[in-house]
């Protein structure tokens, strides 16, 4: 068998140490490339709710030899219950494998980010409290000016933007407003955590409130409750509140919305008052006409955020990072050809996971008491169907709404990183 010729490693800059950034850093540095990851925050961001990883995302994790590490850090949620204002169970969905509401790989987002960071940090360089202020195309490379290094410039063969939904660098590169590719679904979610109390166990509970509000609390496997306060709001006010990043104002807004609305809402709002990990998230999608320009390429939520409603944000970021790494390794001498191959492979999958009916948030959060009663009847019938072994009924609903549809047609084999990865 002939040995492939040695080549000069690519100099790669990744902006954003969330989920996609560290997975990409892992694979590219495994293939011998020189990778630097910058993160705007002063530390790894640990905020956020529980997320799940499914289908081919798990395959990638297995190839990273992280499956058991992640399994050990899952939340061990036993199932999900819909409850009324007196905490009576309207419908319950115990964990029962692939088609239940609880996933086998349910993990707090920050825990997952940490696993990927730990797996890649020995191989790639991480720089916190840093961001890109300018990128100039130089023909065979991109020249990056950093914000914190007093105008210091560095050249890279490839710059990857993995900054999440509201990426500033994406706007800079594509010459458009930060919000230009963001398609809002008008649902806002305040996520925070507090210590478990006597009512909290290993079950998730969902409580609906008129005027399109809901509270969703879940165990996190770390002795805390992860709460999501959800509301449908298409006003400019909520956009402004999310934009100012003033945590106290954000808390006040949600406390006013939820206090005194029955069930355990006051206790949960007390938790929000004390919380130091509030993360206010817009439920929206990113739809970009192109995912690359010159030497710059987008990955994860920056390129194709499917929205938390799809349940595919982390899985698609993991798969996208893996496919981009494989295509760059295969097209090392022509990164733009690698970008094109990555986009060609990912587009159909992304189109599929992004095709959520726009009415879905409104169906999930009814306007009136009547609407909530109807929703309760529907989920009750589904819970009966599930218990009677007609579990495919749930599969049909999730398929209809395109939730958790995760089959990727043809993931590149990991041997590509061994075969093509011989560097100088
Ligand atoms: C703090 C946080 C909490 C989240 N909580 C949830 C949740 O509860 N449920 C859910 O479904 N999804 C959540 N998400 C989104 C979820 O992580 C993504 O949908 C998915 O994992 C895709 O990951 P990503 O790597 O593309 O982006 P992200 O995970 O969003 O990571 C982007 C990273 O880039 C950094 N960054 C942003 N701008 C810059 C910049 N200009 N320069 C350098 N770095 C920058 C961010 O600080 C972040 O670390 C959360 C994201 C974050 C950042």
């Amino acid at each position: 068998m002939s040995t492939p010729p040695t080549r000069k490693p690519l100099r790669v800059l990744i902006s954003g140490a969330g989920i996609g950034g560290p997975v990409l850093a892992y694979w590219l540095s495994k293939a011998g490339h020189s990778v630097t990851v910058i993160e705007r925050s002063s530390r790894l961001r640990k905020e956020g709710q529980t997320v799940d990883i499914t289908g081919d995302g798990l395959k990638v994790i297995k190839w990273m030899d992280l499956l058991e590490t992640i399994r050990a850090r899952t939340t061990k949620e036993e199932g999900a219950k819909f409850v009324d204002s007196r905490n009576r169970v309207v419908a319950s969905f115990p964990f029962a494998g692939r088609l239940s509401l609880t996933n086998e790989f349910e993990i707090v987002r920050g825990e997952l980010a940490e696993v990927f960071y730990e797996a890649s940090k020995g191989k790639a360089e991480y720089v916190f409290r840093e961001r890109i202020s300018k990128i100039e195309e130089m023909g065979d490379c991109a020249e990056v000016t950093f914000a914190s290094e007093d105008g210091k410039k560095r050249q890279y063969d490839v710059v990857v933007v993995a900054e999440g939904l509201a990426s500033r660098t994406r706007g800079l590169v594509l010459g458009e407003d930060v919000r230009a590719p963001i398609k809002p679904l008008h649902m806002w979610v305040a996520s925070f955590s507090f210590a478990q109390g006597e009512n909290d166990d290993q079950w998730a509970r969902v409580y609906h409130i008129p005027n399109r509000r809901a509270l969703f609390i879940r165990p996190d496997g770390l002795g805390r409750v992860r709460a999501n306060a959800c509301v449908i709001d298409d006003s400019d006010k909520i956009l402004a509140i999310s934009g100012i990043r003033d945590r106290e104002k954000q808390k006040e807004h949600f406390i006013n919305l939820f206090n005194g609305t029955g069930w355990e809402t006051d206790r949960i709002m007390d938790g929000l008052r004390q919380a130091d990990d509030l993360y206010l998230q817009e439920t929206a999608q990113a739809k970009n006409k192109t995912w690359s320009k010159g030497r710059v390429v987008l990955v994860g939520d920056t390129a194709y955020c499917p929205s938390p409603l799809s349940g595919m944000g982390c899985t698609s970021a993991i798969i996208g990072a893996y496919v981009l790494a494989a295509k760059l390794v295969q097209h090392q001498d022509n990164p733009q050809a690698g970008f094109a191959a990555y986009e060609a492979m990912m587009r159909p999958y992304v189109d599929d996971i992004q095709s959520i009916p726009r009415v879905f948030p409104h169906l999930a959060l009814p306007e009136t008491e009547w609407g909530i009663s109807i929703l309760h009847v529907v989920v009750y019938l589904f819970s009966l169907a599930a218990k009677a072994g007609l579990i495919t009924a749930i599969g049909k609903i999730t398929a209809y709404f395109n939730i958790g549809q995760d089959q990727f047609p043809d993931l590149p084999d990991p041997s590509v990183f061994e075969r093509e990865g011989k560097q100088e």
Side-chain angles (χ1 to χ4, degrees):
M1 203 166 66
S2 67
T3 314
T6 55
R7 290 182 289 184
K8 227 172 161 221
L10 290 169
R11 298 162 299 170
V12 182
L13 176 69
I14 300 172
S15 181
I19 303 296
V23 172
L24 180 65
Y26 172 94
W27 286 104
L28 283 180
S29 39
K30 185 179 167 70
H33 299 288
S34 161
V35 182
T36 302
V37 186
I38 58 167
E39 164 59 45
R40 178 180 64 179
S41 177
S42 57
R43 54 174 177 80
L44 199 69
R45 297 193 66 183
K46 298 286 301 280
E47 305 96 311
Q49 256 285 354
T50 64
V51 293
D52 54 18
I53 317 156
T54 54
D56 287 313
L58 292 174
K59 236 187 231 175
V60 174
I61 285 169
K62 196 166 171 216
W63 291 333
M64 293 170 84
D65 207 14
L66 293 176
L67 198 64
E68 293 316 315
T69 308
I70 289 174
R71 191 195 301 278
R73 291 172 82 159
T74 54
T75 61
K76 321 282 184 305
E77 188 174 287
E78 288 174 14
K81 293 171 184 167
F82 288 73
V83 295
D84 68 9
S85 61
R86 289 159 65 187
N87 201 35
R88 288 178 304 202
V89 178
V90 174
S92 68
F93 296 87
F95 171 67
R98 200 168 133 47
L99 290 175
S100 42
L101 299 182
T102 298
N103 194 285
E104 187 184 355
F105 284 87
E106 207 77 61
I107 181 168
V108 171
R109 181 206 165 271
E111 293 289 296
L112 184 64
E114 190 166 75
V115 169
F116 292 141
Y117 167 66
E118 294 290 337
S120 57
K121 75 172 185 198
K123 306 179 176 79
E125 182 195 10
Y126 275 82
V127 182
F128 288 88
R129 215 191 288 271
E130 185 58 282
R131 66 187 167 81
I132 295 169
S133 66
K134 195 172 168 194
I135 305 184
E136 275 179 281
E137 283 296 327
M138 311 294 284
D140 61 348
C141 67
E143 190 168 79
V144 173
T145 309
F146 291 99
S148 77
E149 288 188 16
D150 237 1
K152 196 162 180 176
K153 297 176 180 194
R154 294 243 162 85
Q155 295 186 339
Y156 297 92
D157 301 305
V158 171
V159 178
V160 184
V161 188
E163 298 176 355
L165 178 65
S167 161
R168 284 184 190 280
T169 307
R170 176 186 62 208
L172 199 72
V173 171
L174 300 180
E176 60 185 21
D177 187 81
V178 169
R179 291 198 61 82
I182 298 179
K183 305 295 169 226
L185 293 165
H186 304 300
M187 186 195 279
W188 291 82
V189 182
S191 302
F192 52 94
S193 71
F194 54 89
Q196 276 188 324
E198 55 187 30
N199 285 359
D200 304 308
D201 54 20
Q202 284 306 101
W203 281 76
R205 287 181 290 158
V206 191
Y207 173 62
H208 282 84
I209 305 160
N211 292 328
R212 305 204 182 281
R213 291 168 291 175
L215 279 172
F216 186 16
I217 59 171
R218 311 182 77 168
D220 72 355
L222 305 164
R224 294 182 73 76
V225 175
R226 298 278 161 167
N228 270 341
C230 314
V231 62
I232 292 189
D233 185 345
D234 57 5
S235 71
D236 289 342
K237 187 176 170 198
I238 186 90
L239 202 58
I241 289 171
S242 78
I244 54 174
R245 295 180 195 278
D246 178 336
R247 295 281 175 268
E248 291 311 310
K249 280 229 158 58
Q250 293 177 347
K251 283 183 183 180
E252 192 187 311
H253 182 81
F254 275 85
I255 289 168
N256 287 339
L257 263 180
F258 283 89
N259 241 0
T261 54
W263 186 54
E264 299 176 16
T265 50
D266 291 359
R267 173 181 81 99
I268 295 168
M269 288 304 115
D270 278 345
L272 172 56
R273 225 171 254 116
Q274 313 295 329
D276 59 4
D277 59 355
L278 170 63
Y279 180 70
L280 180 53
Q281 189 178 15
E282 180 179 10
T283 298
Q285 298 186 324
K287 297 209 173 186
N288 290 282
K289 286 195 190 77
T290 176
W291 296 348
S292 64
K293 189 172 173 191
R295 294 264 163 175
V296 184
V297 62
L298 317 178
V299 76
D301 276 4
T302 305
Y304 47 75
C305 176
S307 102
L309 283 176
S310 71
M312 294 299 289
C314 284
T315 299
S316 62
I318 293 166
I319 291 178
Y322 175 80
V323 172
L324 176 58
K327 294 300 166 190
L328 275 175
V329 165
Q330 284 173 321
H331 297 272
Q332 181 170 338
D333 301 325
N334 183 357
Q336 279 101 334
F339 300 166
Y342 149 71
E343 189 167 335
M345 183 167 246
M346 286 295 291
R347 274 280 179 193
Y349 171 76
V350 165
D351 288 346
D352 188 29
I353 60 174
Q354 283 191 332
S355 60
I356 302 169
R358 297 195 83 74
V359 293
F360 181 59
H362 291 78
L363 291 178
L365 300 184
E367 169 82 40
T368 61
E369 289 281 9
W370 268 105
I372 293 172
S373 301
I374 292 167
L375 178 76
H376 281 172
V377 171
V378 171
V379 292
Y380 173 67
L381 292 175
F382 272 105
S383 71
L384 287 188
K387 276 176 199 137
L390 305 171
I391 203 154
T392 48
I394 297 177
K396 283 195 180 119
I397 282 201
T398 53
Y400 176 74
F401 287 116
N402 213 26
I403 298 162
Q405 299 303 293
D406 45 38
Q407 290 315 308
F408 193 86
D410 196 10
L411 219 45
D413 191 87
S415 61
V416 77
F417 294 95
E418 313 292 338
R419 213 174 46 240
E420 313 270 348
K422 201 166 168 57
Q423 310 301 324
E424 219 170 60

